[in-house]
Amino acid sequence: MLFLANFFTQMARLFKIVEDHKASKWLRFANYCIDLAVIYVLAILFYAILGIYLALFTDVNVDEFANNMEENNSFLDKIASLLIYGFLMFLIEFFSKGRSLGKLITGTMVVKTDASPLTLKDYFIRNISRAIPFDQLSFLGNNEWHDTIFDTRVVNKKNFEKDRSLKLDLDNLGNNS
């Protein structure tokens, strides 16, 4: 029983460290704007490369291809764009261990609320859920929906890691005696 009490006490402390270092709404908004700009640049590069490929190696007229893309169902186009955005953000955050370009610039990172590392599944579901309509506006609340649903938070990296390390060192000091 004492083990469970210690476990829950430690989890509560870790949760407090996460909440104490939660990034502000404006840092989150800055992350979103920077990341959105990066995704737009990647999309433009992708379509430029696709256009060059189509022009050089196929009989497809690039202007016709672009016009057909514009005439698609706009609702499906928006859903597909949100899913692609979520997928690209998943790849970026997974390979950078919770730090997109926006998070690198603002000094923030994604962590689980219990301070445990995110898994591949956590990164994937968290970022694909960005396709939820109006998720981008959820930063106006306490936590964004894709963070609330999957028990993640964006924290100020430097201060979070410093306090987490200090807390773990103190816990280990108590266990060694």
Side-chain angles (χ1 to χ4, degrees):
M1 199 59 132
L2 183 61
F3 168 76
L4 283 177
N6 287 338
F7 174 77
F8 287 118
T9 301
Q10 183 174 359
M11 287 297 110
R13 283 189 206 135
L14 287 174
F15 184 76
K16 182 172 177 1
I17 290 171
V18 170
E19 289 301 310
D20 286 348
H21 298 293
K22 198 166 72 166
S24 73
K25 292 177 187 183
W26 298 109
L27 273 180
R28 302 288 312 265
F29 184 66
N31 289 345
Y32 173 72
C33 291
I34 294 166
D35 292 339
L36 187 61
V38 168
I39 298 300
Y40 274 127
V41 168
L42 291 175
I44 289 168
L45 288 173
F46 170 76
Y47 283 113
I49 291 168
L50 180 63
I52 292 168
Y53 172 80
L54 291 174
L56 294 176
F57 300 110
T58 69
D59 293 335
V60 175
N61 182 317
V62 176
D63 290 331
E64 276 182 37
F65 179 77
N67 288 335
N68 286 340
M69 292 290 287
E70 288 177 8
E71 292 172 6
N72 284 340
N73 183 330
S74 65
F75 177 74
L76 290 177
D77 183 47
K78 285 179 176 47
I79 296 297
S81 295
L82 285 171
L83 288 172
I84 290 169
Y85 172 77
F87 184 71
L88 289 173
M89 289 302 297
F90 153 70
L91 290 175
I92 292 168
E93 282 190 354
F94 176 72
F95 287 110
S96 66
K97 304 281 190 234
R99 303 195 72 197
S100 62
L101 184 59
K103 289 177 187 72
L104 283 168
I105 291 171
T106 62
T108 57
M109 66 184 279
V110 178
V111 297
K112 298 277 288 177
T113 55
D114 66 358
S116 65
L118 274 74
T119 64
L120 175 77
K121 181 181 173 184
D122 293 329
Y123 283 118
F124 182 75
I125 295 174
R126 176 183 185 275
N127 285 293
I128 290 299
S129 72
R130 293 174 188 259
I132 296 170
F134 305 109
D135 177 68
Q136 295 81 7
L137 297 177
S138 67
F139 86 95
L140 296 170
N142 279 341
N143 296 305
E144 292 191 30
W145 295 336
H146 60 269
D147 282 329
T148 301
I149 295 169
F150 301 103
D151 290 327
T152 58
R153 297 290 183 270
V154 175
V155 296
N156 292 306
K157 183 182 187 299
K158 183 179 175 185
N159 294 337
F160 168 77
E161 287 182 341
K162 180 179 150 193
D163 277 3
R164 182 173 171 228
S165 176
L166 180 62
K167 187 235 170 285
L168 292 173
D169 287 347
L170 287 173
D171 285 350
N172 287 337
L173 182 65
N175 290 336
N176 290 335
S177 49

